[in-house]
Amino acid sequence: MSQEQRPPASYKKGKWRPYRPVVVASPPPAPSPFFRIVFPIILAATVVIRNLQLEHPVAAEAATIERVVQYSRGEIFVDTQPPLAKLAFYWLSLVLGTTQGVNTIPSDWTRYFPVLLGVLTMALAHATLRASKCGPVTQLLAVALIAVDHTLIVHSNLVSHESLLLFTTALAVYGLQKVQYETPFSRKWYKCLFVAGLGLGLALSTRYSAIFTLAWAGLLAASQLWSLLGDLLVLDVKWFQHLVARVVTLVVWPLTIYCSLFYVHLASLPFNGTGSGLLSPEFKSTLHDSDALLSMPVEVSYGSTVTIKHNQLESYLHSHDFNYRTGSGEQQVTLLDDALSPDNEWIIESVYKNREGELQKHSRPIKDGDMIRFFHKQTGKYMRVHDLRPPISEHDYANEVSCNSSRAELMGDINYDYKIRILAKKPHAVNDLPLIKLRATESVFQLVHQGTKCILMSHKDKLPAWGFGQNEVLCVDEPTIPNTLWYIESNSHPVLDDDLSHPRVAFRPYGFFQKFWEYHMAMLRVHQGQDGQEVEYSSTPAIWPFAIRGRPITSNENGTVYSLGNIPIYYTGLLFVIIGLFNHFFHAVKHLNPFVYATDSQASELYYANSFSTIAGWALHFIPFIYLSTPTFASEYLVSLYFCILLIAQYVEYQISKRKYFGYVLLVLILGTAVTFYLQLLPALNGGWTAEQCMSSPWAWGLACLSFLDIETL
C-alpha cells in the first residue's frame, strides 16, 4: 500500500479491512471559578425574569385546572393526554390546600412549580452542552437564550404541561448525551442510561408528543449500535450486551414508568364522573359508587327503561328536543357519551298499542327475533326511520333516524318497528342465555328496521354545530357489522327491580391491565373525535419556526399579556438547522467515497456528532406535527426550539474552535439581538404593550408588530 493509500491515524488495520474504533471521549474539563459564580447568578435572575405574576387562571390552564378539581373529587375522566402533568399539579394543590374549587387554582405558589421547572431546564441545557464538550461561554449563551425567549417565559408560568414536558425531555437529552462520554458498562454509564430512560418515561407520561422523543432516542441508539458494529474490537457478545442495555433502559424502563403512573392515575379516580360514559359496564363495576349497576336486573323485559350503548364507540343512543336542519326536520337521534344525561333513557315497548304504564305491571322477557319499539322517555316520542337521506351520510342506501309521534298519536306503522337480532355475548356472560334472551350488559345485538329493512348504526362522524357535535345515527342497507352492534347498559323495570329473585348482573374480575387497555381505547376515541375540529388559537405547524403569530394569554392590571417568539432566536436556530443539514450532506458524501479515507479535525468531529443529535431532535419534534389532522398549537414547538438553542451553542462553539474571532463576534451578535428583542417586547410580557409602542419600536423586524396587530383585531 502506497503512502497516499494508507488510512489516517484514526483508522486501525483489521484482518479484512481498515476500521475506525469507537473511542470514548474524554470528560469535559471542570468549570472555572468565574463560571461557578456567574452561572448561579443567571439562574437566580431567571426566577425574577420568569415570574410574571399572572392574576387569574387563563384559557390555556382551563383543562389542567378542571382535571385537578376532578382528582380532588376522585371522579373518573377520560383525557386525550397522559396524566403526569395533571397529577403533579394535583399533588401540589394538596400540599398548598387549593383543591376546594376552580377559583382557588392556581395560586401564586402553584405557578412557582413551572417556573422552577423552567430554571431546571436551563441547568440541564448547561449540563448537556458541558457533556458535549462545549466551552463555558457557549454554555452561558444557551442558558441566556432560554432565559430571554418570550414563549418559554410565558409557558413557564402556566399551570399546564409545557414546562414539565420540556424539563423531562431535557433530562432525556442530557442522559443520552452524557452516556457517550462514559466507559461502557461502568456504573456511571448505566446511571446515564437510567437517567435518559427516566426522562423518556416521564415525558411520555406527560404528553404523547414524547413518542417523537422516544423515536429520537431510538435513532441515536441505532446510530451508536451501528458504529459499534463496525468496531472490530467489540466482540459480538459485547455488542449484544450494548443492545440489551439500551432496550432495557430506553424502552422497558420508560414503559414501566408510564404504566406505573397510569396505575396511580386510575387509583386516584375511584368514583363515576364525566368519563364514565366512555367506559364499559365491566370497567364501571370496579368503581366505588357503582352499586346501582351491580344491583340491576340482568333480564330485559317489555316496559323496561334502558340505556342503549354503541358497542364500538361506547356512547349512548340519545335524543333531545332539537330538530334536524335537513331531511324530515324532526327530532334528532344521536350518540352522546354523557352517562348522566336523562335524554339517554328509552322504554322498550311491544309493537301493539299499549296504554301508559301497562307494560310495567308485569314482566315479559324480550327474546331474539322479537319486534319492538323505542319510546323516548324525556320527550314522549317514538324512534322511527324515514326514507330520507341523513344529514352527513347522503347516500341512497342510508336513511335518517328521528323521533316523532306520541303514544296517543301512534297507529300501526312498521316505520316504528325494529326486529332485535342477537349476534353475540359479552365475555363476562357465564352461559348462552344472552344469545336467546335480551340481557343487560351481556347481549350484543342489531336493530333491523321493518319498514326499510335497513340496520340501525352509528359511526365516528359528528353532526354540525346544530347537532351539538354529537355522533350521527342512521339506518343503512348492508352496513359494516361493527358499526351496527349495540348492548343494554342500564335496565330498570318495576317488577324486576323489586323482586330480588330475578338474577342481577354479574361481572368477572377486571384487572389493571384490562382497565389500562380499555382506558387507552377510550382516549383514542376522544382523540379521533377531535379530527378536523377548529379550536381557538390553534395554528399551522409550518409557521411555527418563523414566530409570525403571537397569542394573547391573559390580562392583568396593566393590560394584555402576549406570548410572542423571540425572532432572533427562532430565525438563528432555523438558519443553523439548514446550514447543519448541508454540512451533514457534504460530510456524508465525503465519507462515502470508497477511494479516500476521510478524516476530520477534532473540532469538526465534535460538531458533526453533536449537531446530528440536535438537528434530528428538532426535525422529529416538528415535522410529524405537519401531518396531524387534529388541532395543533404553537406551544408544541417548544421542544424543537430547545433543540435549536442547543444547536446554536454547538455551532458557535464550532466556529470559535475554527475561527476564534469570528466565533466570538457571532456569539455577541446572537446574544445582543436576542436580549435587545427581549427588552423591546418586554411590555408584551408585562401587559403594557400597545399598538403604538409596537409600531414605533426601532426593532427592524416589523413582523412582530404585524402579528401583534392581528391579535388586537381578534
Side-chain angles (χ1 to χ4, degrees):
M1 181 181 289
S2 65
Q3 183 68 27
E4 289 76 10
Q5 294 175 321
R6 288 178 182 172
S10 58
Y11 285 77
K12 287 190 175 184
K13 184 179 180 180
K15 183 177 180 181
W16 303 107
R17 62 178 174 83
Y19 69 97
R20 296 184 67 180
V22 176
V23 179
V24 177
S26 59
S32 64
F34 172 76
F35 183 81
R36 292 179 183 272
I37 296 173
V38 172
F39 182 67
I41 292 175
I42 292 178
L43 292 184
T46 303
V47 176
V48 178
I49 292 174
R50 289 183 169 235
N51 186 15
L52 299 184
Q53 296 294 331
L54 302 179
E55 297 176 358
H56 307 290
V58 305
E61 300 173 322
T64 304
I65 293 172
E66 180 183 0
R67 299 314 186 200
V68 169
V69 174
Q70 288 172 312
Y71 273 124
S72 68
R73 298 171 180 167
E75 297 174 349
I76 196 164
F77 60 86
V78 176
D79 206 343
T80 59
Q81 295 297 335
L84 180 57
K86 280 84 71 174
L87 275 172
F89 283 109
Y90 167 60
W91 293 331
L92 184 62
S93 66
L94 287 178
V95 174
L96 300 176
T98 57
T99 60
Q100 299 304 312
V102 175
N103 294 330
T104 61
I105 306 171
S107 67
D108 291 339
W109 286 102
T110 308
R111 285 205 173 96
Y112 277 120
F113 175 61
V115 170
L116 175 62
L117 291 176
V119 174
L120 292 176
T121 301
M122 295 169 60
L124 285 171
H126 144 70
T128 301
L129 290 170
R130 182 170 179 267
S132 304
K133 303 188 75 173
C134 290
V137 175
T138 49
Q139 294 172 34
L140 289 177
L141 170 65
V143 171
L145 294 181
I146 295 175
V148 299
D149 182 80
H150 298 76
T151 49
L152 293 175
I153 292 173
V154 168
H155 287 287
S156 69
N157 278 262
L158 300 181
V159 178
S160 59
H161 68 272
E162 282 87 0
S163 288
L164 184 58
L165 178 63
L166 197 56
F167 167 74
T168 53
T169 303
L171 185 64
V173 173
Y174 166 71
L176 287 171
Q177 184 63 41
K178 189 99 165 87
V179 76
Q180 300 180 63
Y181 301 98
E182 300 295 342
T183 303
F185 307 111
S186 66
R187 179 175 295 182
K188 287 186 177 180
W189 187 81
Y190 277 116
K191 183 179 178 181
C192 292
L193 280 176
F194 177 84
V195 168
L198 176 64
L200 291 173
L202 294 177
L204 185 62
S205 303
T206 302
R207 193 81 175 170
Y208 282 126
S209 58
I211 291 174
F212 306 139
T213 313
L214 283 173
W216 171 78
L219 177 63
L220 292 190
S223 175
Q224 293 164 7
L225 290 171
W226 178 257
S227 297
L228 291 167
L229 193 62
D231 190 340
L232 301 184
L233 293 177
V234 178
L235 300 177
D236 291 346
V237 173
K238 280 293 182 183
W239 186 89
F240 185 73
Q241 289 175 346
H242 275 278
L243 174 63
V244 171
R246 285 167 172 79
V247 169
V248 170
T249 56
L250 302 182
V251 179
V252 177
W253 169 229
L255 291 179
T256 301
I257 294 172
Y258 178 79
C259 292
S260 300
L261 285 168
F262 258 99
Y263 181 88
V264 174
H265 166 71
L266 294 176
S268 301
L269 302 171
F271 302 111
N272 282 283
T274 58
S276 297
L278 293 163
L279 304 173
S280 70
E282 284 183 289
F283 192 116
K284 289 194 281 189
S285 69
T286 65
L287 301 177
H288 293 177
D289 57 346
S290 293
D291 295 341
L293 174 64
L294 296 173
S295 62
M296 181 178 70
V298 69
E299 192 173 90
V300 182
S301 170
Y302 287 98
S304 289
T305 298
V306 299
T307 58
I308 306 169
K309 233 180 177 186
H310 194 275
N311 189 62
Q312 187 176 56
L313 300 178
E314 290 291 351
S315 294
Y316 296 90
L317 185 66
H318 173 89
S319 187
H320 44 227
D321 195 14
F322 293 93
N323 296 339
Y324 288 115
R325 299 285 180 87
T326 62
S328 68
E330 293 178 350
Q331 183 172 300
Q332 300 170 13
V333 175
T334 64
L335 281 191
L336 182 69
D337 56 22
D338 181 7
L340 303 179
S341 173
D343 286 327
N344 298 338
E345 293 185 340
W346 302 83
I347 298 177
I348 300 180
E349 297 184 354
S350 66
V351 297
Y352 307 108
K353 187 174 182 180
N354 301 291
R355 292 190 299 272
E356 185 173 358
E358 180 181 355
L359 293 174
Q360 283 75 28
K361 294 178 181 178
H362 57 274
S363 66
R364 181 163 64 93
I366 300 173
K367 299 179 180 179
D368 179 36
D370 281 4
M371 304 291 292
I372 57 177
R373 288 177 176 171
F374 294 96
F375 177 75
H376 191 246
K377 191 172 180 179
Q378 286 296 114
T379 60
K381 295 182 179 180
Y382 284 87
M383 185 172 71
R384 65 159 295 164
V385 174
H386 283 279
D387 189 13
L388 298 169
R389 305 292 73 78
I392 299 177
S393 306
E394 297 180 352
H395 303 289
D396 291 339
Y397 53 80
N399 301 291
E400 178 196 276
V401 180
S402 65
C403 278
N404 73 353
S405 298
S406 65
R407 181 178 281 108
E409 298 168 344
L410 187 64
M411 301 297 291
D413 189 340
I414 60 173
N415 287 314
Y416 296 88
D417 299 347
Y418 302 86
K419 180 180 180 180
I420 185 163
R421 181 189 293 166
I422 300 177
L423 297 183
K425 60 182 180 178
K426 290 285 191 176
H428 64 274
V430 297
N431 52 43
D432 289 334
L433 280 177
L435 298 175
I436 301 170
K437 295 181 179 181
L438 184 61
R439 289 167 66 90
T441 76
E442 294 182 4
S443 301
V444 179
F445 58 88
Q446 289 179 327
L447 295 172
V448 183
H449 183 248
Q450 292 308 289
T452 61
K453 301 303 179 183
C454 62
I455 302 176
L456 197 74
M457 63 162 285
S458 185
H459 48 71
K460 67 178 182 179
D461 293 342
K462 295 181 180 293
L463 295 170
W466 53 261
F468 307 98
Q470 297 171 15
N471 296 74
E472 180 188 45
V473 173
L474 62 160
C475 199
V476 175
D477 298 329
E478 299 182 2
T480 56
I481 291 179
N483 287 334
T484 66
L485 300 180
W486 308 82
Y487 71 91
I488 303 294
E489 183 182 78
S490 67
N491 174 40
S492 176
H493 189 285
V495 174
L496 302 178
D497 293 344
D498 297 336
D499 188 351
L500 297 180
S501 64
H502 292 278
R504 308 285 125 174
V505 296
F507 300 97
R508 60 181 179 175
Y510 209 59
F512 165 70
F513 285 106
Q514 292 169 300
K515 293 194 288 185
F516 177 84
W517 176 257
E518 181 179 332
Y519 191 89
H520 279 73
M521 292 300 100
M523 294 173 70
L524 180 61
R525 291 195 301 273
V526 174
H527 177 76
Q528 290 174 338
Q530 296 177 346
D531 285 357
Q533 287 187 1
E534 292 292 332
V535 179
E536 189 178 16
Y537 301 131
S538 62
S539 59
T540 305
I543 69 172
W544 294 347
F546 303 99
I548 61 176
R549 176 171 294 180
R551 174 184 172 185
I553 297 296
T554 187
S555 299
N556 59 22
E557 59 183 7
N558 299 321
T560 303
V561 176
Y562 292 93
S563 171
L564 298 168
N566 193 308
I567 286 181
I569 299 176
Y570 274 68
Y571 281 54
T572 303
L574 182 61
L575 175 63
F576 288 175
V577 166
I578 296 172
I579 291 174
L581 289 173
F582 276 103
N583 288 341
H584 278 275
F585 173 77
F586 290 112
H587 184 258
V589 170
K590 182 175 69 172
H591 280 265
L592 287 174
N593 188 340
F595 302 103
V596 177
Y597 291 106
T599 183
D600 297 304
S601 65
Q602 185 177 359
S604 296
E605 286 192 350
L606 190 64
Y607 165 70
Y608 284 116
N610 291 332
S611 62
F612 170 77
S613 65
T614 48
I615 292 174
W618 174 86
L620 287 173
H621 287 86
F622 166 61
I623 295 176
F625 284 103
I626 298 175
Y627 299 97
L628 293 182
S629 58
T630 50
T632 53
F633 303 89
S635 60
E636 289 167 310
Y637 186 70
L638 295 182
V639 175
S640 289
L641 178 62
Y642 178 77
F643 280 103
C644 276
I645 292 174
L646 295 181
L647 179 62
I648 290 172
Q650 292 165 354
Y651 186 79
V652 170
E653 179 71 25
Y654 173 62
Q655 292 299 327
I656 290 175
S657 63
K658 298 283 285 186
R659 294 174 286 273
K660 182 176 180 180
Y661 293 108
F662 173 76
Y664 280 113
V665 169
L666 184 62
L667 184 149
V668 172
L669 180 64
I670 294 171
L671 183 58
T673 53
V675 172
T676 302
F677 193 92
Y678 164 76
L679 295 174
Q680 287 289 331
L681 272 69
L682 186 59
L685 294 176
N686 296 330
W689 210 33
T690 65
E692 292 76 14
Q693 287 176 318
C694 179
M695 297 301 293
S696 62
S697 171
W699 191 257
W701 304 84
L703 196 58
C705 293
L706 296 177
S707 175
F708 170 69
L709 292 177
D710 287 342
I711 293 171
E712 276 200 329
T713 60
L714 289 177

